[in-house]
Amino acid sequence: MSKRQHIVAGNWKMNKDYEEGRALALEIVEKLQPSETIMVLGTPYIHLKGVAHIISDINNLYLAAQNCHQEDSGAYTGEISTDMLRSVGCTYVILGHSERREYFQESDELIAAKVSQAIRHGLKPIFCCGELLQTREAGAQEAVVGEQVKKGLFNLTPEEFSQVVIAYEPVWAIGTGKTASPDQAQEMHAFIRGLLAAQYGDEAAQATSILYGGSVKPDNAQEIFSKTDVDGGLIGGASLKANDFIAIANSF
Ligand code: PGA
């Protein structure tokens, strides 16, 4: 087993009203067994403070936001700053998710700015990358994911980079019920780790957790997580059910 942290992060996306979110967090806390695996709840903003309170006594269970703004503060109506997220107990922030890239036109440059802002303000980014179906069909997935990783992360200093978690999520596997095969995931994770080694050295690359995301479920998690370079998962749909989310986290 590698020394890298195993991380299973849930991405609730735009789901659950206030009471439903509370109930889900409470059920997770109630059913969770102590484990070495780091678990993260990526909730909508309205839940952060309440869920922080619910999980505060639990080891290895942390809170993530699903986005942040790249500036410190000011006239940015509707936006949330990294200091605000810290002040309600966030440890992580999911950045560069394909839904943000696609529906909110987030560019590599904007994502890079958010990543550095998050790190400078004490949050650990869960940096997402992944290719579209037509890209994979054209065999260009490594070129595309490589560009996303370089543009999104490689302006960081080595010290800043040590805070980063990467999530590889092939867009064609998100919410579709199609997962990448364990071998496809392994191949891309090894490719990403090679890029990290070239930029930040082998030790840093070996220490970075690279998660797989895209239709991870209790019945496929174990096989995906058994791959050498897969250090956990970013879980959408299945993170909305306490039993499924916990079963996935217990799949190592
Ligand atoms: P999914 O979503 O598990 O529902 O495919 C994963 C994600 O978008 O992070």
Side-chain angles (χ1 to χ4, degrees), residues 1-7 129 142 145-146 149-150 153-154 161 164-168 185-212 224-232 252:
M1 199 158 77
S2 77
K3 288 198 295 281
R4 288 188 289 277
Q5 280 184 329
H6 288 158
I7 302 174
C129 54
E142 291 190 350
V145 172
V149 169
K150 287 178 196 166
L153 298 177
F154 284 6
F161 178 75
V164 171
V165 173
I166 295 177
Y168 167 59
Q186 167 57 27
E187 203 176 20
M188 183 61 85
H189 285 221
F191 168 73
I192 294 170
R193 205 177 301 286
L195 295 178
L196 305 183
Q199 179 73 11
Y200 291 106
D202 206 40
E203 203 176 317
Q206 288 303 327
T208 305
S209 297
I210 307 180
L211 318 183
Y212 169 80
I224 297 171
F225 293 174
S226 71
K227 294 293 173 182
T228 328
D229 286 292
V230 178
D231 307 308
F252 281 105

Side-chain angles (χ1 to χ4, degrees), residues 2-217:
S2 77
K3 288 198 295 281
R4 288 188 289 277
Q5 280 184 329
H6 288 158
I7 302 174
V8 172
N11 177 7
W12 293 7
K13 308 192 179 182
M14 196 174 75
N15 292 296
K16 304 285 179 193
D17 70 16
Y18 186 73
E19 285 308 326
E20 292 165 347
R22 245 183 89 71
L24 176 56
L26 283 166
E27 191 183 348
I28 290 170
V29 163
E30 190 186 293
K31 294 184 170 168
L32 200 62
Q33 303 293 326
S35 150
E36 298 283 288
T37 301
I38 305 271
M39 287 174 81
V40 180
L41 304 183
T43 80
Y45 295 132
I46 63 146
H47 296 300
L48 292 171
K49 177 91 175 149
V51 172
H53 188 66
I54 292 170
I55 69 176
S56 63
D57 288 341
I58 313 291
N59 263 347
N60 291 342
L61 182 57
Y62 297 96
L63 194 59
Q66 299 173 15
N67 187 21
C68 68
H69 198 266
Q70 67 278 13
E71 300 293 339
D72 289 353
S73 64
Y76 300 101
T77 302
E79 292 295 319
I80 305 269
S81 77
T82 49
D83 284 347
M84 293 174 190
L85 296 177
R86 290 279 298 155
S87 76
V88 291
C90 272
T91 304
Y92 294 88
V93 57
I94 299 168
L95 292 172
H97 191 280
S98 64
E99 288 151 19
R100 303 277 336 155
R101 291 177 188 265
E102 186 183 349
Y103 306 141
F104 302 94
Q105 288 78 45
E106 291 201 2
S107 64
D108 290 314
E109 292 69 28
L110 177 64
I111 295 161
K114 291 183 176 195
V115 167
S116 355
Q117 177 73 4
I119 295 170
R120 281 200 308 269
H121 291 257
L123 292 167
K124 295 172 194 287
I126 300 177
F127 169 83
C128 305
C129 54
E131 80 285 358
L132 300 170
L133 182 59
Q134 60 264 38
T135 307
R136 181 158 283 264
E137 284 171 350
Q141 65 272 16
E142 291 190 350
V144 165
V145 172
E147 277 300 288
Q148 291 173 339
V149 169
K150 287 178 196 166
K151 289 182 172 162
L153 298 177
F154 284 6
N155 61 334
L156 299 173
T157 65
E159 199 187 341
E160 288 170 339
F161 178 75
S162 69
Q163 299 305 302
V164 171
V165 173
I166 295 177
Y168 167 59
E169 301 200 297
V171 179
W172 46 273
I174 296 179
T176 57
K178 275 189 206 168
T179 43
S181 72
D183 288 339
Q184 284 174 321
Q186 167 57 27
E187 203 176 20
M188 183 61 85
H189 285 221
F191 168 73
I192 294 170
R193 205 177 301 286
L195 295 178
L196 305 183
Q199 179 73 11
Y200 291 106
D202 206 40
E203 203 176 317
Q206 288 303 327
T208 305
S209 297
I210 307 180
L211 318 183
Y212 169 80
S215 298
V216 178
K217 302 280 181 289

